[in-house]
Amino acid sequence: PHASSLVSRAPLRTRLPLTQIPSTHGLAQTHTHTRWGSPGSFVVPSPHITSKKMVLADDQRTVTFTGNLLGGNRAVRCEPPLPTTTCAYLRATRPEISALTKKISGSAPLAAEVAFEVQISSVAYYEITIGGAQEDFGERDCIAVGLASELFQLTGKQPGWDRHSFGYHSDDGHVFHGKGMSSEPFGPTFRPGDTVGCGFSVASLKIFFTRNGKLIGIPFAAKAAQLPLYPVVGIDSHVPVSFNFGQQPFAFDLSLLPPLLHDTSSASAAATLKAAIRCLVPQFASAALPV
């Protein structure tokens, strides 16, 4: 589709008290058509726990690894998978607070309210926020944020360590796809207090990552055969990891995504392919594939 067809329509704003907001499972994202399911509502994904050492908090959004030893390489998948077509999303936005309100000491009339927008979007996206204290996150700790097909195994691997997954890793800032021993330098590392996002364009299937409200890059493109894609996060740490699918305002403003994300031209596809090859075979790619 043309870039103009990917522009979101004017959002429908509504403001609800927090006590009236649906739970994680109740927030609906509707779509008119998808090859992966019948028309209707799309339930917001939530963490699917497969290990007794992974604990899901009462908020249904926060996961903590409670095992004794790190290094086991485990991941959490959120279900159901992300949409594969343009969808209508109900997403939280930051309430607008007037200058007068800010000047009134001790007055916070909007503290118990949140604004929601219904957005027509061609981007599937989620964020995670890493909790805990800095001193609880050591050199051996790693959080890996990414996407995966249903063939990705949740035990013994981190996102990006096989051809079924894509991952951005906290310990070195590298992105992985295809192999656990090969990666591509990508962005900054991340730790407790950071918010990292991952998403893709349903038009081009290009995958992008964000950190603390800033776009880091677009390193990969998925294949149609890998759809649908699931949010996956590798948790090799004892710090809590909280998922956000729009229940809270995103740190990154999706309207700032470049049109290149949706570009399906051959030149754009070739550039993304080079990035993937550099990740799979870095020694060969550095010599044979100039940037």
Side-chain angles (χ1 to χ4, degrees):
H2 297 291
S4 60
S5 66
L6 299 171
V7 177
S8 298
R9 301 175 187 173
L12 173 64
R13 293 179 178 270
T14 182
R15 197 178 298 278
L16 299 171
L18 283 174
T19 55
Q20 296 182 17
I21 297 173
S23 65
T24 299
H25 298 285
L27 279 171
Q29 301 175 348
T30 60
H31 53 92
T32 55
H33 174 73
T34 172
R35 58 179 291 192
W36 303 108
S38 59
S41 62
F42 175 83
V43 178
V44 172
S46 60
H48 179 64
I49 303 300
T50 59
S51 170
K52 294 181 179 179
K53 296 181 180 179
M54 291 285 196
V55 176
L56 181 63
D58 291 339
D59 63 5
Q60 300 296 304
R61 297 173 52 225
T62 303
V63 178
T64 304
F65 171 61
T66 60
N68 294 325
L69 300 177
L70 299 181
N73 298 317
R74 66 203 62 80
V76 172
R77 180 173 63 209
C78 294
E79 299 179 0
L82 295 174
T84 59
T85 61
T86 299
C87 294
Y89 294 85
L90 178 63
R91 287 172 173 162
T93 59
R94 294 177 179 82
E96 298 176 359
I97 302 177
S98 67
L100 178 61
T101 299
K102 294 180 180 179
K103 292 181 180 179
I104 301 176
S105 176
S107 176
L110 297 181
E113 297 182 346
V114 63
F116 277 83
E117 289 182 355
V118 177
Q119 303 172 349
I120 307 299
S121 178
S122 292
V123 173
Y125 179 73
Y126 77 99
E127 290 181 346
I128 63 108
T129 297
I130 305 173
Q134 295 286 343
E135 56 267 25
D136 296 331
F137 200 80
E139 294 182 355
R140 295 188 57 196
D141 291 60
C142 180
I143 304 295
V145 182
L147 299 169
S149 75
E150 61 184 357
L151 298 178
F152 175 67
Q153 299 296 317
L154 299 177
T155 57
K157 295 181 180 180
Q158 294 281 0
W161 283 10
D162 66 8
R163 62 190 177 93
H164 306 299
S165 61
F166 308 84
Y168 173 27
H169 290 222
S170 70
D171 56 345
D172 54 15
H174 286 203
V175 286
F176 290 74
H177 173 56
K179 292 183 178 180
M181 301 304 293
S182 299
S183 62
E184 175 78 1
F186 178 62
T189 60
F190 46 96
R191 302 176 59 81
D194 290 328
T195 296
V196 179
C198 179
F200 71 98
S201 164
V202 299
S204 67
L205 302 186
K206 291 180 182 178
I207 297 170
F208 67 95
F209 293 93
T210 69
R211 176 181 175 272
N212 295 338
K214 296 182 178 180
L215 177 66
I216 303 301
I218 308 171
F220 303 120
K223 298 178 181 178
Q226 293 174 309
L227 298 178
L229 293 174
Y230 294 80
V232 291
V233 174
I235 304 179
D236 197 15
S237 176
H238 294 113
V239 299
V241 175
S242 296
F243 291 80
N244 180 18
F245 290 94
Q247 306 98 311
Q248 298 295 324
F250 286 136
F252 178 72
D253 184 351
L254 293 174
S255 68
L256 299 179
L257 286 168
L260 174 66
L261 177 69
H262 306 292
D263 189 357
T264 58
S265 67
S266 57
S268 177
T272 305
L273 177 61
K274 287 181 180 180
I277 293 178
R278 284 196 298 268
C279 187
L280 287 169
V281 195
Q283 298 84 356
F284 166 78
S286 61
L289 293 175
V291 178

